[in-house]
Amino acid sequence: MKLPSSTRRNFTAGLLGSTSFWIYGGHKVWADALQSESSRPYQPQYFTSEEWRFLNAACARIFPADAHGPDGAVLGAPEFIDRQMNTPYGHGELWYMSGPFRSGAPNLGYQLSLPPRDLYRQSIEAANAYARQLKGQRFDELEPSDQIALLKTFEQGKMMLGAVPAHTFFEQLRQNTLEGVFSDPLYGGNKGLAGWMLLGFPGARADFMDWVNQKGAPYPFGPVSISGETA
Amino acid sequence: MCAKKVDAVVIGAGWAGSILAKELTEAGLSVVMLERGDERATAVEGDYPTSIDELRGAIRHRLFQNMSKSTVTIRNTLDQEALPYRRLAAFLPGEGVGGAGLHWSGVHFRVAPDDLALRTNVVARYGKSFIPEGMNLQDYGVTYEELEPFFDKAEKVFGTSGEPYTINGKVVGKGNRFAPDRSDAFPLPAMGDVYSASLFRTAAASVGYHPYALPAANASAQYTNPYGAQMGPCNFCGYCSGYDCYMYSKASPNVNILPALRQDSKFTLITKAHVLKVNLDADRKKATGVTYLDLRTQKQVELDADLVIISAFQFHNVHLMLLSGIGQPYDPKQNTGTVGRNFVYQTITTSRAWLSPKQYTNLFVGAGGAGVAIDDFNSMNFDHGPLGFVGGSPVWVNQAGVKPIAAAVGGPGGKAPTWGEGYKDAMVDTYRHSLTIDAHGSNMAYRDVYLDLDPTYTNAYGQPLLRMTFNWKENDIRMNQYVVGKIEPVIKAMGATRYSLGMLKDGEVFDTRRYQTTHLGGGAVMGTDPKTSCVNRYLQSWDISNVFVIGASAFPQGMGYNPTGMVAALAYWAAYHIRTTYLKNPGPMVQA
Ligand SMILES: Cc1cc2nc3c(=O)[nH]c(=O)nc-3n(C[C@H](O)[C@H](O)[C@H](O)COP(=O)(O)OP(=O)(O)OC[C@H]3O[C@@H](n4cnc5c(N)ncnc54)[C@H](O)[C@@H]3O)c2cc1C
Ligand code: SF4
């Protein structure tokens, strides 16, 4: 990685809680570093430890590890979501939240009185209860294949999770997970800019004067974050 | 408060308001412009690199309307209960100085002249019975020739990049051969074609269509406009739509008009001033000014004015008229009244083509207004006779800079999964090797599609929300399906490895959860008959002659083109007639 040493130090410190030698190498080593990073010290500020375990499992299933790289939990999506819960967004302050709250046709959009933080709280509890009832274990304790099956059930939306239609919760979770993977690392996700590397998105470069039309050639430069982190 | 009485008050600091404020101060009036949102300066909002932040910008809607204070309610049919539009999605109204003009994309069209007299033209060509039952097809009451000088003026103010076809009747370039004649060239040459747009250009021409560069209010070169405002050359950073341009390359009221206005001692801009209503005199014949809520002090302020300009954006214009009692509210059952009548939108669907793994479309490269389009199926440029619908769509590749969150949440398209196994593979292929083609079309006005006040929900100031009754109709669905069908040969000619066509389905209902466009129109339409229009051809209220209502609210039906070029031209047109006629002899400029 072509990082000035100070940036690199900040980056690795933010990522792992300490500077580490294996970040020096190429992309592959760095991906391994991310993989082995499960012991990182981020402590959820909003979610309880049970909710936190749910989120980590769910983010990893929604954005799974594969040949392309690590899963959504490793990339910091749970941290991102946790941090979002304490923003105006998490408190529902970006939404019109005056009553009466009535249910209606799905195409008329979200009609619950719950801001995201309450939606997560209620739905995760109900999802774990459902998992226990079905399989005798919390969601995060299930085999990944069972977790995927449950998420599919939620996605199909034929059931409620507490006061929340399962589909609504699933979509919230899917959207926030992907936001975490693909937003600027400023917000706690997209660790090592891995989300952007996957897509070939150059981040905050935002100057393509010479790349308006290169007749289909791939853009050659890696991403840069707002804070100057590169990959 | 600096003045208790001014010559003119302008509601809203977007394009329409800024144009009117500039023109009226030039005419020597003292002008106060009231804006409910914050002050916004490109040096702050557009600061690099903090503005290059998708989460904060287009995803959490930093520059958009604060929904917690006010929204609209929406229902599809008259017998439904309308529910609040709680989260921004389908359309994205602006707030703060510059309005939606700060975070728009910059596609800057004139008008298809046939659209200005659509009713007359359809009847002349196909007969009255061609118009479907329940469709309120109308003319604007103004001609392209009358508006031409104002389109020209707006382009010069916006620093618009484009390629002409004819100037003063002579073919001069390779621009849009369906575009109306011009009195002058664009102030700047057309923006370059990104790779995807260049493929579309070649393929569209090969199947016999007539591709042209989209006219863009993104500066293709350094530019100084007639007000002395300066723009830098656009670098295709891709952060137009939803953002403030850090390069000063995208036209906005903030960059192109307000720097000149702010220097004028007759002009005052008051931010965080939410106008609650226009005040009328005892016999409700004249406006006396406005009442606004000072959001800093939470105190109501009355401001008297001889002239009131309502330029708060299409549906806010209608909302303010209804709250103030200007004109008669439309009643769809009795078919009486005009305020809220002919509420329209725009149809838009997106098709996708995947190219070979060797072809990188670099979707993040782009400018909001740039691209290549065809007009072969827009307006009345093709024969509707055998097709049996009214309207049309331009079709284009408008690669405006696709950001990763929007791409990832939207999903890879086609039949690919939107999460889990197989998602990443498909997403990588889509993001690196695909391109999109939009059919961006008209939407006609219907008797049971309209705006009124909601009976249940209120804004943070205790006023009833505006209620939208809106649905897609068969005419427009069939139009969209027809035009999308015409995209298929282009995609094949491009050598796509696979593709998916996006079109409205039969009976599809309007879905508030998916972004379509912010090209809402009508509700306070212009025209020549006070029974079917709210404002006359100078955008002057038929009922209260010292009130002018400026914006896309004046469009009798939704057109295929993006609206802002037309909004700006109408604003200059109205201002010209206020300056040359109204101010000399205030009163109705057209007798009802
Ligand atoms: C993401 C996006 C992309 C777009 N791209 C294009 C494009 O490429 N081409 C195109 O032609 N159009 C585009 N548009 C549409 C374009 O932005 C609008 O047509 C244009 O801004 C309308 O100008 P306006 O002055 O009528 O309203 P606005 O620009 O919205 O200004 C209205 C102002 O009035 C204020 N206001 C409202 N109510 C009150 C009140 N009660 N009291 C005080 N102030 C009030 C608002 O806060 C706002 O600042 C786009 C819009 C969006 C959101
Ligand atoms: S693409 Fe061009 S006009 Fe748009 S924000 Fe970037 S530099 Fe500005």
Side-chain angles (χ1 to χ4, degrees), chain A residues 61-66 68-71 80 84 87 89 92-112 116 119 147-148 151-152 155 167-168 170-172 174-176 178-180 182-184 186-187 195-219 225-227, chain B residues 48-56 59-61 65-71 74-76 80-88 192-196 198 233-239 246-247 358-362 364-366 402-405 407-411 418-425 427-428 431-432 456-460 465 509-513:
Chain A
R61 300 295 85 81
I62 288 172
F63 195 83
D66 59 12
H68 290 289
D71 66 46
F80 167 86
Q84 286 292 304
T87 64
Y89 167 76
E93 286 163 22
L94 308 186
W95 299 347
Y96 178 79
M97 291 303 258
S98 303
F101 294 91
R102 294 174 177 155
S103 58
N107 66 299
L108 296 181
Y110 189 74
Q111 296 298 334
L112 301 175
L119 188 134
Q147 292 174 350
I148 292 168
L151 289 174
K152 284 195 174 141
E155 183 190 26
H167 174 76
T168 303
F170 177 81
E171 194 45 36
Q172 180 80 31
R174 187 186 78 89
Q175 181 165 338
N176 289 154
L178 296 173
E179 286 171 357
F182 293 106
S183 54
D184 193 279
L186 196 64
Y187 300 100
W196 293 348
M197 296 287 287
L198 173 76
L199 295 183
F201 176 69
R205 286 192 184 272
D207 178 359
F208 306 115
M209 204 63 131
D210 302 327
W211 274 84
V212 174
N213 189 347
Q214 292 282 1
K215 302 196 163 56
Y219 183 75
S225 77
I226 289 172
S227 72
Chain B
Y48 180 88
T50 52
S51 64
I52 307 301
D53 182 343
E54 186 190 9
L55 187 78
R56 196 162 66 113
I59 303 296
R60 297 285 182 263
H61 302 125
Q65 175 166 327
N66 181 344
M67 302 289 279
S68 71
K69 299 273 183 260
S70 189
T71 183
I74 305 179
R75 60 180 181 171
N76 298 120
Q80 243 181 347
E81 183 179 40
L83 294 174
Y85 176 54
R86 296 184 182 276
R87 299 178 179 181
L88 282 174
D193 296 350
V194 297
Y195 178 58
S196 60
S198 69
C234 164
N235 68 13
F236 286 76
C237 82
Y239 284 83
Y246 82 99
M247 292 290 290
K358 287 205 197 93
Q359 293 168 287
Y360 287 77
T361 46
N362 297 323
F364 48 86
V365 176
V402 183
K403 256 65 90 233
I405 300 174
V409 172
T418 56
W419 61 280
E421 198 188 343
Y423 166 73
K424 282 188 194 174
D425 266 333
M427 208 55 239
V428 168
Y431 198 74
R432 293 180 188 251
T456 308
Y457 293 92
T458 58
N459 64 19
L465 295 184
V509 289
F510 171 53
D511 192 332
T512 66
R513 297 167 299 179

Side-chain angles (χ1 to χ4, degrees), chain A residues 206, chain B residues 52 104-105 191 217-219 231-241 243-251 365-369 400-401:
Chain B
I52 307 301
W104 71 317
S105 303
M191 297 279 284
N218 312 124
M231 302 171 82
C234 164
N235 68 13
F236 286 76
C237 82
Y239 284 83
C240 284
S241 187
Y243 304 83
D244 182 343
C245 169
Y246 82 99
M247 292 290 290
Y248 295 78
S249 311
K250 179 181 69 178
V365 176

Side-chain angles (χ1 to χ4, degrees), chain B residues 446-462:
Chain B
Y446 300 91
R447 191 167 152 175
D448 58 357
V449 171
Y450 72 111
L451 300 170
D452 67 352
L453 294 177
D454 190 86
T456 308
Y457 293 92
T458 58
N459 64 19
Y461 321 117

